[in-house]
Amino acid sequence: MNEGTSRREFLGTLAAFLLFPLEQEKVDLILYNGNILTVNDKEPRAQAVAIARDRFLAVGSDSDVLNLAGTATRKIDLRGKTVTPGFIDAHSHPAEAGLMHLRMVDCDLRSISAIQAALRERATKTPAGEWVLGFKYDDTKTEEGRPLTVADLDAAVPDHPVHIQHRGGHTTYSNSLAFRKAGIDEKTPDPPGGKIDHDPATGKLSGRMAESANALFEKAIPQNFTRDDHRDGVKLISKMMARTGITSATEAQGTPTDLRAYQDARESGDLLHRAYCFINFHFLDAMIAAGNRTGLGDEWVRVGAVKLVCDGSISERTARLSTPYEGRPDDYGILVMTEDELYAVGRKAHLAGWQIGTHANGDVGIDTALRVYERLQKENPRRDPRFRLEHCTVVNDTLIARIKALDAIPTPFSTYVYYHGEKMRYYGAERLNHMFALRSFIDAGIRPTQASDYPPGEFIPMMALQSEVTRTDMKGNVWGPKQKITVEEAIRVGTLNGAYASYEENLKGSIEVGKLADLVVLGRDPLKENPSTLVKIPVERTMAGGRWTFES
Ligand SMILES: [Zn+2]
């Protein structure tokens, strides 16, 4: 390090002293001899950090930082290992996923017969007549190359109602007993915004239901989770996420129950990642009446945006598009809420000071959500509303210009190209160059985030990096190469941009004096790694607020 750098670092340290009252300056921990990628433009690289309580007290060279050590300071030699800020998953469903992992059959299996076997096994442990529930089923990943049918499920489990959610979360598959229990038969009409599938040859129920039709099952399936179950679900998923380097995650479709579960998990010492808890719009009135709005809480559990839903899903081909899906000339996808409905709820939220996050995947969905945001801002301009477009998958130049004009935040799927490559062919080569459009967003000065949407997508940050940098799936197929970004950009997308999306860019997202000590120690340097093996970089340790949340 040259003298100029040292002086800058020294001044940085002085600034740190000013931030903390003198009696609290005790340095608890120093990490040194590291290759620290700070994501701070003023000081992109450092060797060492000093941590006091839950914050970075100093960031700089080994000699400067080690000088701050007191007698009680613990020192850890990073032995040249690479450190990044903790990763922020800006859109996923951890609370729900945790409950699912506790209670449901994980149907992420590679054949229909394997799924049947797993369901059968669960049924033998379940009293007759009670529900057998599954999740993470993916029709594109089974070797039979066809979707599950009522007959498959009846054959596997005849005496229990069976209801399975698709990995994407927008379609479900049920057996005959489940349909009977829910009061659905082949004459039941499609509800608005939903679809009950029929076998085209026989007209009988196929077993598949899409979008709002799934609500017909909600009353039939008992919701018998206890308060402890909800806390335990958060505990389980939080552990799973910490292992991969995640220190913060947005709960993208949260409820008051989820908000309580996060608080309970935090109180019992089991919350290992920071939660920005969106609130489903059905609870908006109650939340407003109770005086809640976006931002309430603290750095561990905070009330996030209100969640609205405009269209369907990418993996299940229900996203609303302006041109039809490949090979389905009449299929443009589904609009779940009308523009008027979105506006009515959005206005209420906007006036009450809430951030709004609207699920919008297809270009028609995104256009609709933007029209609502533009109207809200025109009628009642608010400073820095940070409107969010959840997923914001299929875009074009006009949409990008409108997103930039509003300074809205897209949260595109980060691991889809790598993990769900087989679904990319529904969209065609040309459209893929306008999907998960990180290159276009960054070039336009927009701040996209890293977002797994787990369970639909995998949440591993190193997989996100590889997917975004290579635009290549597991089998080596390249999808939409024009949207490739650099490793450095992908790290920023996964850290500082995520913090910005929750109004917390002054609190976390980079390794900077005064910010929360959230970081990841990696086994290898992603900037020196072959891009096609980024996903294999091991996470050695994860820290949130100065505490190790994972150690390998
Ligand atoms: Zn989602």
Side-chain angles (χ1 to χ4, degrees), residues 91-93 168 170 252-253 307 359 390-391 413 452-454 456:
H91 179 123
S92 58
H93 303 273
H170 294 248
Q253 181 75 289
K307 172 74 175 294
H359 171 115
E390 303 306 317
H391 314 317
F413 301 114
S452 70
D453 202 30
Y454 188 78

